[in-house]
Amino acid sequence: MKNKILIMLILIASLLICGCDDNQQTNNKKEEVAITYTESALDNVSLTINDLDITLDLSNNSYLKSLLLSIKLYKNTDNSNLGNRTSKYVLSFGNYEFTIYDNKTICYIDNDNEYDYLTAENNEFDYLDNLFDGSSLDFNNYTEEETISVVNSKNDSKEISEKNEFLNNLKQVKCLKLSNIEHYQLGDLKYQISISNDIIKIYGEFVTINENLYVVTEGNFEFLNNIKFSSSSDWLPWI
């Protein structure tokens, strides 16, 4: 009986040693790529979504910046070419660029080099798949029957009388719905539009509508700068 127990212990120890060796061999097959950028390079971050053919300004996404500063990339020295693939995203900032493919491989370009067929240690770029829900928003449903009012950053309010012109300008704007509003630093509120039962808050390129977050993909809200509020002059130095 003691001999059987001893044999079993030897077998278990052998398996554990082999497992360690296999893990060590797997780690040895991967070579980490040095990330050369620093936080200062992330002042202006843009993301191109190839399926939608749009480019978003994600400079205010603090979560994405933290991800980029902590990510670890590896190249597989045994098999660098992993077959056919399609580009899903291009993430750019400064002189750096990531192209992320549908098979989770990555092409990373910095000031001096280009590294292809990389993999992220924890598939961090999966975050981009949940960045937006694909819903495009326009403002075509509003009519002149609505009561429309606008408030500026000084809390001056203006009820819109020229509704046709206002709505024509508003209908030039299209937005994409984003997830995780808490990941963004929206900055100062510039304008708030009340129309129908909706409250539209404009923070530059970002917009919240009834607490949902959107980013502008077409057009802009610059036409609001031409509204003359009760205490406004012809120019608005705070914009």
Side-chain angles (χ1 to χ4, degrees):
M1 184 66 180
K2 291 183 178 179
N3 289 337
K4 289 183 178 180
I5 294 174
L6 182 60
I7 292 171
M8 289 177 63
L9 290 174
I10 292 172
L11 288 173
I12 292 171
S14 299
L15 289 172
L16 289 174
I17 292 171
C18 290
C20 291
D21 288 343
D22 289 341
N23 290 335
Q24 185 64 42
Q25 289 174 7
T26 300
N27 291 333
N28 288 340
K29 291 177 183 178
K30 293 184 177 181
E31 179 183 336
E32 186 172 356
V33 173
I35 298 295
T36 59
Y37 56 81
T38 61
E39 186 174 2
S40 61
L42 301 175
D43 288 341
N44 297 290
V45 180
S46 66
L47 176 71
T48 298
I49 305 170
N50 293 327
D51 286 347
L52 302 179
D53 194 25
I54 59 174
T55 298
L56 308 180
D57 183 351
L58 297 182
S59 303
N60 291 349
N61 188 316
S62 55
Y63 183 92
L64 178 61
K65 289 184 177 182
S66 295
L67 182 152
L68 289 169
L69 290 172
S70 62
I71 194 170
K72 291 185 178 182
L73 300 176
Y74 296 92
K75 53 185 176 181
N76 191 320
T77 56
D78 283 352
N79 182 17
S80 61
N81 191 333
L82 301 178
N84 296 329
R85 59 183 182 167
T86 301
S87 171
K88 293 177 66 176
Y89 309 108
V90 178
L91 191 62
S92 305
F93 48 93
N95 296 321
Y96 303 89
E97 182 178 284
F98 290 97
T99 301
I100 299 97
Y101 294 87
D102 57 353
N103 64 353
K104 299 184 185 294
T105 59
I106 302 157
C107 179
Y108 166 59
I109 299 173
D110 62 19
N111 288 311
D112 303 310
N113 298 291
E114 177 176 334
Y115 307 92
D116 205 353
Y117 292 97
L118 305 180
T119 55
E121 183 177 45
N122 297 307
N123 293 321
E124 282 88 349
F125 286 121
D126 286 355
Y127 170 72
L128 300 177
D129 293 333
N130 299 311
L131 187 75
F132 58 96
D133 71 359
S135 298
S136 182
L137 174 75
D138 59 42
F139 300 94
N140 295 331
N141 293 330
Y142 298 124
T143 70
E144 293 183 53
E145 303 300 318
E146 319 279 2
T147 298
I148 306 172
S149 63
V150 180
V151 177
N152 66 14
S153 68
K154 295 181 178 180
N155 207 31
D156 299 324
S157 180
K158 174 78 173 181
E159 184 169 332
I160 304 301
S161 56
E162 298 295 331
K163 296 180 184 179
N164 183 58
E165 180 183 359
F166 184 92
L167 290 173
N168 284 338
N169 287 325
L170 187 60
K171 289 173 182 178
Q172 305 305 309
V173 181
K174 290 182 173 57
C175 301
L176 182 69
K177 187 177 181 181
L178 297 173
S179 306
N180 303 309
I181 188 172
E182 68 276 8
H183 291 176
Y184 295 84
Q185 297 176 335
L186 300 180
D188 297 329
L189 177 64
K190 294 189 173 183
Y191 293 101
Q192 177 176 296
I193 301 171
S194 298
I195 180 170
S196 184
N197 294 318
D198 294 331
I199 302 296
I200 305 168
K201 296 181 180 181
I202 295 97
Y203 304 82
E205 294 298 310
F206 293 96
V207 178
T208 63
I209 304 175
N210 303 330
E211 307 309 319
N212 293 312
L213 179 64
Y214 299 83
V215 62
V216 175
T217 57
E218 290 185 36
N220 57 64
F221 287 96
E222 290 182 4
F223 66 93
L224 298 175
N225 297 349
N226 297 321
I227 297 175
K228 293 186 178 180
F229 295 88
S230 57
S231 61
S232 299
S233 61
D234 291 338
W235 62 290
L236 299 175
W238 51 272
I239 294 180

